[in-house]
Amino acid sequence: MNKTENNKAWFLVLPVFLLVAFSAVIPLMTVVNYSVQDIFDQNTAYFVGAEWYREVLQDPRLHDSLIRQFIFSGCVLLIEIPLGIAVALMMPTKGKAASLSLILLAIPLLIPWNVVGTIWQVFGREDIGLFGWALNSIGIDYNYASNPGDAWFTVLLMDVWHWTSLVALLCYSGLRAIPEAYYQAARIDRASKWAIFRYIQLPKLKSVLVIGILLRFMDSFMIYTEPFVLTGGGPGNSTTFLSQTLTKMAIGQFDLGPAAAFSLIYFLIVLLVSWLFFTSISHLDKSE
Amino acid sequence: MTSMTQNTASQTAGAGSTQQPKRFVLPANAKRRVNTQRRKNIGITAYILFVLVPIYWLLNMSFKSNEEILGGLTLWPQNFTLENYQVIFSDPSWYMGYVNSMTYVSLNVIITLMVALPAAYAFSRYKFTGDKHLFFWLLTNRMAPPAVFLLPFFQLYSSVGLFDTHLAVALAHCLFNVPLAVWILEGFMSGVPREIDETAYIDGYKFHTFFLKIFLPLIRSGIGVTAFFCFMFSWVELLLARTLTSVEAKPIAAIMTRTVGATGIDWGVLAAAGVLTIIPGLLVIWFVRNHVAKGFALGRV
Amino acid sequence: MSWMAWTLPTAVFFSVIAAILVCMTVFELRSPCVERKGFLPIETTRGDRLFIGLLTSAYIHLMYVGLTDMTLWIALGISCVWLFIVMRWG
């Protein structure tokens, strides 16, 4: 679609611009200010330059949680995207069954994140939770509170439970946008199921998958509440992700300076990855 | 679940006989398709069960007394009790949490839609200086981890006197909802042909009458889907909501942490409170279910 | 505004960024630019190149701070040169 060139359109964007500037730019500037100072209270602060950045960059805690974070986000994407597509392909297409499964699938998305944590905290316990109890009674020694491997497994399972529905719903909508005529043509050609998926469904899913992957990457990279409630970052530090390290620093120890420097580094990482992803996708779109 | 299976199967058969000329339907082919359909139904049922079982467990616990919860594993409540819910509904500091959450979520949805609608229109219809960069900048706010903004938000809202008000949380949640809303709405609006705008302008409509009377009704389902997403992300967020409130506007999700008392966790009340937080979401998805099914497919979402 | 804890260096930093943005906008209005292909692997507009330059500069600074103990002015110099290269030939 051809768009007309019109700078008056800025007036329509102005409210958004002002609102986001108020709630994003001012805080961001403040974070930058904090990150170069040693702050004791409202009126006592010393300029320390890049000292906090140096401290944070050389802090092994940051390295560890950064690595954990990337592994976690990678796992989340690897599991949830294919599973979400599969669920979308299996969903009924018409009638009551379609809206019923739509509603049931959407439930996990609408549960407050700490309640999600609570649900799995209870569900995974070996004394009062069905899941932990079932695993233990079939002979698997499972305890997410003391075994790091189990804790990781539980956090991942919780995230899959929580968010695969989003991917599935997005893909479902993408699949619905494919005209029936395409499938009929494929049937006449005796196309295999894989060929239908590869050449009809997947290309149509591309745009929703982009959104799905971006949202899942960003949100899994910021995950805080659910593992905080479920495992509290433990056992040890095995499920302490970036946000949690940061929040501990900022609120728990009230180290404003290092926390602010950490925030900015965190933000830069997310910005870079998302930008790379965003540009490569829109670039692919153009070259086609 | 059986009725669901039959329903879908009969519909598939019906669709096959009406939409397709008879000679292309080979019996073997049709049988294979019915088989695939059955396998699909089993798969989706299994996944939905996986989704529902943990929720069932919470529901199950909310109807038990603490003695029963800790006494041993029972698949359904042996002594069905509503006591846990009674605790919540008889104590204003509990149920006001729901009111607070609902208030700031609704405020947030209204503010988000009001600013995002014109902006999305601008992005979908016009080219203007810096539009792409502005769009990406908006998205970067969706990317910023809330943990980054915790402290400055606290300071900012305290200094303008908004701390512990519903408006503060609503505004803070705009940070991630507005970009998403602009993004989704832009997709829906791009699906509306430009000719409609042009015809309306030729007919002498002013921009705002055209926008409110003609354009908005056209993208109803898009607005429904956007509102759903805004509700969802605002309702489930806790970190910002907890930091920006203390008493007056404290969300229910933050109040829930109170159940951890000196005597240990009050599992029953915790479960009951959790169950109650799921209900508003269920209602919302129930109201927009047709829009979501239709709306998702219409827009570029 | 005292809670924002302004200091001179950060104030200068943000003023420079704001000035660059204003200049770019004016420049863009006077002579709208077209996408072109430089040594960067994608076609870019002037604004894209500025963004890429600034983002990589930030990373240059971070690496410099993380790996060395020398003064930051050198990193700033490298970044400025890099920014110029990207804007001119990117």
Side-chain angles (χ1 to χ4, degrees):
Chain A
M1 195 187 310
N2 300 320
K3 298 180 186 177
T4 29
E5 185 100 36
N6 188 348
N7 273 327
K8 284 206 187 98
W10 259 103
F11 287 111
L12 296 174
V13 193
L14 204 61
V16 164
F17 184 77
L18 290 178
L19 181 72
V20 178
F22 174 73
S23 54
V25 176
I26 294 180
L28 195 65
M29 283 175 166
T30 315
V31 173
V32 174
N33 290 341
Y34 286 170
S35 74
V36 294
Q37 294 179 80
D38 195 356
I39 293 171
F40 292 101
D41 58 55
Q42 211 54 310
N43 304 312
T44 342
Y46 297 102
F47 183 76
V48 294
E51 201 43 53
W52 297 133
Y53 289 92
R54 187 159 290 142
E55 189 183 307
V56 166
L57 281 171
Q58 290 165 355
D59 184 352
R61 266 191 310 174
L62 173 76
H63 300 162
D64 291 349
S65 55
L66 188 64
I67 293 167
R68 267 198 292 274
Q69 187 69 67
F70 270 111
I71 296 175
F72 179 73
S73 290
C75 289
V76 160
L77 286 179
L78 278 179
I79 299 172
E80 287 177 15
I81 300 295
L83 185 62
I85 296 176
V87 170
L89 286 172
M90 289 188 302
M91 271 172 81
T93 48
K94 293 190 194 79
K96 285 224 174 63
S99 45
L100 182 70
S101 52
L102 207 86
I103 293 173
L104 292 179
L105 278 181
I107 294 177
L109 300 175
L110 291 155
I111 303 177
W113 293 347
N114 66 327
V115 180
V116 171
T118 308
I119 288 176
W120 281 88
Q121 186 193 18
V122 173
F123 196 54
R125 276 176 64 132
E126 72 273 18
D127 53 346
I128 60 171
L130 186 61
F131 181 65
W133 175 82
L135 279 186
N136 275 300
S137 62
I138 58 170
I140 301 168
D141 186 21
Y142 166 87
N143 186 341
Y144 68 82
S146 65
N147 184 339
D150 293 346
W152 257 86
F153 173 72
T154 316
V155 173
L156 260 180
L157 189 67
M158 173 177 69
D159 203 79
V160 168
W161 177 84
H162 191 182
W163 286 112
T164 306
S165 300
L166 181 72
V167 184
L169 290 180
L170 285 169
C171 291
Y172 176 76
S173 73
L175 288 174
R176 289 291 76 71
I178 302 174
E180 183 62 24
Y182 284 35
Y183 291 116
Q184 284 180 16
R187 269 200 291 274
I188 292 168
D189 289 346
R190 301 279 189 87
S192 71
K193 243 181 274 162
W194 169 251
I196 293 180
F197 176 69
R198 175 68 191 79
Y199 296 105
I200 298 180
Q201 293 173 325
L202 200 58
K204 282 278 172 184
L205 283 182
K206 209 177 71 184
S207 62
V208 285
L209 275 181
V210 169
I211 297 175
I213 293 175
L214 253 183
L215 281 179
R216 280 318 299 134
F217 170 74
M218 296 186 308
D219 287 346
S220 67
F221 210 77
M222 311 169 192
I223 188 166
Y224 170 78
T225 316
E226 300 99 310
F228 176 73
V229 175
L230 180 64
T231 62
N237 273 333
S238 55
T239 52
T240 307
F241 299 113
L242 274 183
S243 272
Q244 214 169 327
T245 318
L246 176 57
T247 317
K248 234 187 244 169
M249 221 187 230
I251 306 222
Q253 303 156 10
F254 223 70
D255 289 335
L256 287 190
F262 190 174
S263 300
L264 286 174
I265 296 169
Y266 193 169
F267 184 55
L268 280 175
I269 296 170
V270 183
L271 190 61
L272 179 71
V273 176
S274 305
W275 181 81
L276 283 177
F277 191 75
F278 200 74
T279 343
S280 53
I281 291 297
S282 50
H283 189 64
L284 276 180
D285 266 349
K286 237 187 271 170
S287 63
E288 257 170 28
Chain B
M1 283 303 160
T2 35
S3 73
M4 187 168 128
T5 321
Q6 281 163 4
N7 209 346
T8 336
S10 68
Q11 270 163 359
T12 329
S17 59
T18 50
Q19 290 182 2
Q20 238 184 327
K22 274 261 150 44
R23 58 179 190 253
F24 287 121
V25 184
L26 304 165
N29 202 355
K31 200 186 254 173
R32 206 177 63 206
R33 265 165 58 207
V34 171
N35 262 334
T36 327
Q37 195 56 47
R38 185 170 302 143
R39 238 180 296 144
K40 277 186 180 176
N41 284 336
I42 293 172
I44 191 73
T45 313
Y47 186 78
I48 287 178
L49 274 182
F50 165 64
V51 167
L52 290 186
V53 166
I55 298 172
Y56 167 72
W57 200 247
L58 191 76
L59 191 69
N60 176 18
M61 254 176 62
S62 72
F63 293 122
K64 294 179 185 174
S65 62
N66 273 320
E67 292 75 48
E68 193 185 337
I69 292 170
L70 295 172
L73 199 91
T74 44
L75 290 178
W76 52 86
Q78 305 291 323
N79 303 307
F80 187 86
T81 171
L82 286 172
E83 250 171 59
N84 299 318
Y85 290 93
Q86 222 163 18
V87 171
I88 291 171
F89 284 118
S90 60
D91 183 354
S93 68
W94 264 109
Y95 64 73
M96 279 315 282
Y98 288 99
V99 178
N100 290 336
S101 292
M102 291 310 284
T103 315
Y104 73 70
V105 170
S106 326
L107 262 177
N108 171 266
V109 172
I110 293 167
I111 297 174
T112 305
L113 282 180
M114 268 173 31
V115 298
L117 279 168
Y121 183 79
F123 280 120
S124 87
R125 289 297 192 256
Y126 300 112
K127 248 190 227 165
F128 48 94
T129 315
D131 51 354
K132 286 202 187 97
H133 301 113
L134 188 69
F135 198 68
F136 184 73
W137 174 67
L138 280 178
L139 282 183
T140 59
N141 294 307
R142 183 66 181 67
M143 297 165 197
V148 171
F149 286 113
L150 273 187
L151 273 172
F153 263 161
F154 177 76
Q155 306 267 33
L156 174 64
Y157 288 115
S158 306
S159 76
V160 292
L162 280 176
F163 179 72
D164 203 17
T165 59
H166 301 105
L167 190 60
V169 185
L171 282 176
H173 283 179
C174 280
L175 187 71
F176 48 81
N177 270 346
V178 165
L180 193 73
V182 172
W183 195 5
I184 297 176
L185 284 173
E186 199 259 346
F188 277 100
M189 289 179 178
S190 300
V192 177
R194 285 190 64 86
E195 285 72 32
I196 291 178
D197 306 32
E198 279 151 17
T199 324
Y201 292 139
I202 291 168
D203 289 352
Y205 274 97
K206 286 270 179 306
F207 173 73
H208 56 269
T209 45
F210 155 73
F211 195 71
L212 294 175
K213 292 238 171 82
I214 299 177
F215 198 72
L216 289 191
L218 279 176
I219 53 158
R220 265 201 319 273
S221 46
I223 297 175
V225 173
T226 315
F228 167 71
F229 269 102
C230 293
F231 173 90
M232 174 180 126
F233 280 110
S234 179
W235 177 256
V236 298
E237 207 278 340
L238 174 71
L239 193 55
L240 286 173
R242 197 184 57 188
T243 314
L244 293 177
T245 55
S246 63
V247 184
E248 288 298 312
K250 203 174 173 75
I252 178 62
I255 294 175
M256 277 180 67
T257 47
R258 274 200 336 188
T259 50
V260 188
T263 51
I265 301 174
D266 191 346
W267 291 109
V269 177
L270 185 73
V275 169
L276 289 175
T277 61
I278 301 176
I279 292 171
L282 271 180
L283 289 179
V284 169
I285 182 90
W286 178 259
F287 283 127
V288 298
R289 70 189 186 282
N290 292 324
H291 282 306
V292 168
K294 245 188 280 164
F296 264 130
L298 261 181
R300 266 198 333 218
V301 185
Chain C
M1 280 295 139
S2 69
W3 58 270
M4 280 183 81
W6 281 103
T7 61
L8 187 64
T10 50
V12 171
F13 171 74
F14 281 112
S15 315
V16 169
I17 298 276
I20 292 178
L21 284 181
V22 171
C23 291
M24 291 292 287
T25 312
V26 173
F27 194 25
E28 181 71 34
L29 289 177
R30 284 279 171 78
S31 61
C33 84
V34 273
E35 292 205 340
R36 67 137 199 256
K37 179 92 172 60
F39 69 84
L40 291 170
I42 50 168
E43 283 185 4
T44 51
T45 61
R46 221 180 276 143
D48 295 335
R49 287 196 292 279
L50 177 72
F51 176 78
I52 294 170
L54 286 178
L55 189 62
T56 38
S57 300
Y59 273 91
I60 291 175
H61 275 90
L62 282 187
M63 278 206 284
Y64 190 86
V65 169
L67 299 175
T68 64
D69 279 331
M70 286 180 288
T71 167
L72 267 183
W73 294 110
I74 304 173
L76 188 64
I78 300 173
S79 299
C80 286
V81 173
W82 166 247
L83 195 57
F84 179 76
I85 294 173
V86 169
M87 292 300 283
R88 181 70 189 76
W89 292 291

